[in-house]
Amino acid sequence: MKPEPINKELVKFLQILGVDTRFVSIVGAHIFINNQRFSRFSNKRQETFIRKFPNYSINRSKIFQKICTRASRVLANVLKPGEKIFIYNNDKCSKFILDVIMEPYTRKYGIKLFYGNSIEDVQEFDINTIALPLTLDNEVQSILGNILNGEKIEVFSSKNKYDTENNVNLIYPLMNIPGSWIGSWLEKLDYEYKYTINDSYAVDLMEFFEGFIPDVRENMLKSALYVVNECVYDV
């Protein structure tokens, strides 16, 4: 599916108000503030905007701003100006999350977002980059699962950045984001999207460590990357 047309009148009006639209997400009839300071979307400007566009809602979630800050550290290093990005819409919740996080980059970098259900859709639109919803929790759970099962440690996002079979790049905008942040953000929205974390021994162990070790997910990922990239050993 081709990208939905941007409401140019709305974007232009925000810019006239002094809002930096590179730091807000415009999805459907909703505007999400990605960075309160950089967007300059003050309460006074919001009042003026709502008078012009009364059917739009504006969300100022602090947890969402934290999510966007972490996502930007990944996207700033992997996106190219004008690039076509494909998002699978098989999972409604994951599609929504990626859509909201990446929409501002249509103005920051001029990227174009496309949607579909299969790799055939990617090839139809001649797209060479796919955004996948892998989170920090997903990666750490996999690492813990490998350890508990006595298997070789693998870091999925560090090894699989290019799909040679289909000739596409793979990017992971949610790679630095804990699933609990995403769940907390979605719970406060009046939408039907529900974000769930798979139940497993690895999840239980991670939650146990979290009670004693700050940033346990980030530290475990760093250690796994060190083992994978720096250490060579035989068992």
Side-chain angles (χ1 to χ4, degrees):
M1 183 170 61
K2 293 183 179 180
E4 297 179 1
I6 299 295
N7 188 329
K8 294 182 179 179
E9 180 187 2
L10 181 147
V11 173
K12 185 177 181 179
F13 186 73
L14 285 173
Q15 293 170 341
I16 291 172
L17 286 178
V19 175
D20 191 333
T21 59
R22 296 175 301 172
F23 298 97
V24 301
S25 298
I26 306 169
V27 177
H30 309 283
I31 295 178
F32 302 86
I33 310 299
N34 298 348
N35 188 302
Q36 181 66 50
R37 177 187 171 191
F38 293 160
S39 70
R40 302 194 298 273
F41 205 156
S42 65
N43 290 330
K44 184 176 181 180
R45 285 170 174 157
Q46 176 174 328
E47 292 173 2
T48 304
F49 172 81
I50 291 299
R51 284 197 294 269
K52 175 77 172 177
F53 297 93
N55 295 327
Y56 276 77
S57 67
I58 299 175
N59 184 277
R60 297 179 179 276
S61 168
K62 290 183 179 179
I63 190 69
F64 178 66
Q65 292 183 52
K66 289 175 62 177
I67 289 171
C68 290
T69 297
R70 286 211 176 181
S72 68
R73 297 170 188 167
V74 174
L75 295 172
N77 294 321
V78 298
L79 291 181
K80 300 175 183 177
E83 188 173 15
K84 294 179 179 179
I85 307 293
F86 183 85
I87 297 175
Y88 285 106
N89 58 16
N90 308 67
D91 184 294
K92 194 173 183 180
C93 184
S94 296
K95 186 261 185 185
F96 172 75
I97 296 166
L98 288 173
D99 205 15
V100 174
I101 288 176
M102 299 195 65
E103 195 277 336
Y105 292 86
T106 62
R107 291 177 291 282
K108 281 184 182 180
Y109 296 160
I111 68 167
K112 293 180 175 61
L113 300 177
F114 290 76
Y115 311 93
N117 298 313
S118 65
I119 194 65
E120 286 74 20
D121 295 326
V122 176
Q123 296 166 346
E124 178 184 350
F125 295 113
D126 191 27
I127 298 169
N128 63 0
T129 302
I130 300 175
L132 297 176
L134 185 76
T135 67
L136 179 59
D137 287 64
N138 298 144
E139 192 74 280
V140 174
Q141 288 166 26
S142 176
I143 293 167
L144 274 174
N146 292 147
I147 294 173
L148 294 174
N149 293 321
E151 299 172 352
K152 180 181 178 181
I153 294 176
E154 293 185 322
V155 181
F156 185 85
S157 61
S158 71
K159 294 181 62 178
N160 297 280
K161 293 186 178 180
Y162 187 78
D163 183 343
T164 55
E165 181 179 351
N166 296 297
N167 297 318
V168 292
N169 296 312
L170 304 176
I171 63 174
Y172 308 93
L174 312 180
M175 189 58 245
N176 290 334
I177 303 169
S180 59
W181 289 15
I182 297 174
S184 177
W185 167 55
L186 290 178
E187 283 178 4
K188 295 177 181 178
L189 297 178
D190 189 21
Y191 299 157
E192 71 255 35
Y193 306 113
K194 299 296 181 183
Y195 185 81
T196 58
I197 298 176
N198 294 330
D199 186 22
S200 68
Y201 289 119
V203 174
D204 294 339
L205 187 58
M206 185 170 62
E207 290 179 349
F208 172 78
F209 287 147
E210 189 175 24
F212 301 94
I213 307 171
D215 301 324
V216 62
R217 293 170 176 80
E218 292 82 353
N219 291 336
M220 291 187 70
L221 180 56
K222 288 178 184 177
S223 296
L225 285 169
Y226 175 77
V227 170
V228 170
N229 296 328
E230 302 295 336
C231 298
V232 177
Y233 56 88
D234 294 320
V235 176

